[in-house]
Amino acid sequence: MSYKERIDTGKLPQHVAIIMDGNGRWAKQRGEHRVAGHQHGVTSVRETVEAAAEIGIQYLTLYAFSTENWNRPKEEVFALMQLLVSTIHSEVKTLNENDIRLLAIGDLKSLPEDCWKELKEAMQATSGNKRMNLVLALSYSSRWEIIEAVKNIVSDLEEGKFSSKEITEQQFEHYLCTAGFPEPELMIRTSGEHRISNFLLWQLSYSELYFTDKLWPDFRKEDFYEAIVDYQGRERRFGKISEQVSE
Ligand code: FPP
């Protein structure tokens, strides 16, 4: 039986987040340039988006470029940005045909002008789509996001919009890039690294973490479904005891 057939569609996570890791190592193993790894990674992005939409996932967040990635060699950053621009441009039609909305989180204003323009247009062109939200984390880091939230809260406090006593977890969440999204129930990281790497630190508080040794360019639909099946076999207790959650 395939992993897809083993999925209980009544117990799907609403939101799956993925750290797509291992492109560089994939390329190195083949004696190719790191950029070739990123290029092949686009096939895995397509497969994963299709896989998630096919079973009814509502939010899929992909960590495509971190704040720290700006420190990579200039040629690699440039190639990644070009790849983003061309991929977003060529995928808009497919996103619309499949009723998928494109969203982005991160310091989007720091992106090169052409990348930001392409992204804005694609988000606009897909804004009416309802089947699934595909969220790209671009120039994103969780610490950056939290500091931005704090700055905006302080500014609203100074303007007297609310008092410090009114700050709750729910209120704080309104200031995050993911405001209005459900929390990811499942976070997948490829390439055998067991780290969160400044990704959705607040939002992943209760997420199930799934690690696979597969390098991102080798990740296919069945690998995604395997992660979902693994998630469905876990017991989520949110700090309670087993008997309380199985009642
Ligand atoms: C991590 O592998 C991957 C990235 C930093 C980039 C991910 C980007 C893509 C797959 C391209 C396009 C994406 C979209 C959404 C259009 P790494 O370079 O850190 O690999 P390494 O750890 O083996 O060096």
Side-chain angles (χ1 to χ4, degrees):
M1 201 150 100
S2 70
Y3 283 109
K4 189 179 188 188
E5 288 163 325
R6 287 169 54 187
I7 292 172
D8 176 352
T9 47
K11 270 176 59 183
L12 284 175
Q14 282 187 283
H15 186 171
V16 179
I18 306 185
I19 301 181
M20 311 182 285
D21 197 11
N23 294 352
R25 274 163 286 167
W26 185 94
K28 198 171 173 194
Q29 283 172 6
R30 286 160 179 77
E32 292 185 44
H33 194 276
R34 294 178 55 82
V35 173
H38 300 313
Q39 284 162 344
H40 282 272
V42 174
T43 306
S44 310
V45 170
R46 261 188 226 113
E47 285 254 334
T48 307
V49 172
E50 266 182 41
E54 271 174 32
I55 56 168
I57 301 292
Q58 287 169 24
Y59 283 80
L60 177 70
T61 299
L62 302 179
Y63 205 0
F65 194 85
S66 74
T67 311
E68 291 75 22
N69 287 155
W70 290 115
N71 300 322
R72 291 192 174 195
K74 274 198 176 57
E75 318 81 69
E76 185 175 342
V77 172
F78 181 75
L80 263 170
M81 289 299 147
Q82 288 314 302
L83 191 59
L84 280 165
V85 171
S86 61
T87 308
I88 292 167
H89 186 79
S90 62
E91 296 299 322
V92 171
K93 191 166 168 273
T94 316
L95 291 175
N96 277 332
E97 282 165 0
N98 290 284
D99 200 15
I100 298 170
R101 180 177 188 179
L102 183 71
L103 298 165
I105 57 172
D107 187 6
L108 306 177
K109 293 194 193 84
S110 70
L111 295 171
E113 188 61 33
D114 57 341
C115 191
W116 173 220
K117 185 171 169 280
E118 203 63 59
L119 185 65
K120 247 191 320 198
E121 284 173 9
M123 289 194 290
Q124 184 57 39
T126 60
S127 62
N129 296 343
K130 298 267 183 295
R131 183 175 173 200
M132 186 175 84
N133 295 288
L134 169 62
V135 185
L136 297 185
L138 285 170
S139 192
Y140 173 88
S141 80
S142 200
R143 290 184 179 179
W144 165 84
E145 176 187 39
I146 290 170
I147 294 293
E148 283 304 297
V150 170
K151 284 183 193 163
N152 289 323
I153 288 172
V154 169
S155 150
D156 283 354
L157 277 174
E158 283 170 355
E159 287 178 28
K161 291 191 180 159
F162 52 82
S163 78
S164 62
K165 286 199 187 75
E166 291 172 78
I167 300 176
T168 60
E169 288 186 13
Q170 284 75 15
Q171 174 86 338
F172 187 79
E173 279 166 6
H174 288 147
Y175 287 84
L176 296 174
C177 302
T178 51
F181 301 179
E183 282 180 7
E185 296 95 327
L186 171 64
M187 195 284 283
I188 300 171
R189 181 172 189 152
T190 59
S191 91
E193 305 289 356
H194 296 191
R195 286 188 292 274
I196 299 185
S197 301
N198 216 348
F199 186 46
L200 302 174
L201 298 179
W202 173 282
Q203 298 87 338
L204 293 179
S205 295
Y206 286 101
S207 304
E208 296 298 327
L209 307 181
Y210 177 88
F211 300 101
T212 167
D213 287 340
K214 277 262 167 101
L215 302 177
W216 179 251
D218 290 326
F219 195 81
R220 291 293 174 267
K221 283 187 181 181
E222 271 291 284
D223 299 308
F224 182 77
Y225 294 141
E226 183 176 2
I228 302 286
V229 169
D230 184 277
Y231 160 82
Q232 291 187 328
R234 298 190 192 185
E235 180 185 68
R236 306 190 72 214
R237 292 198 294 277
F238 302 97
K240 294 182 181 172
I241 65 167
S242 189
E243 287 73 14
Q244 287 175 303
V245 291
S246 59
E247 272 167 9

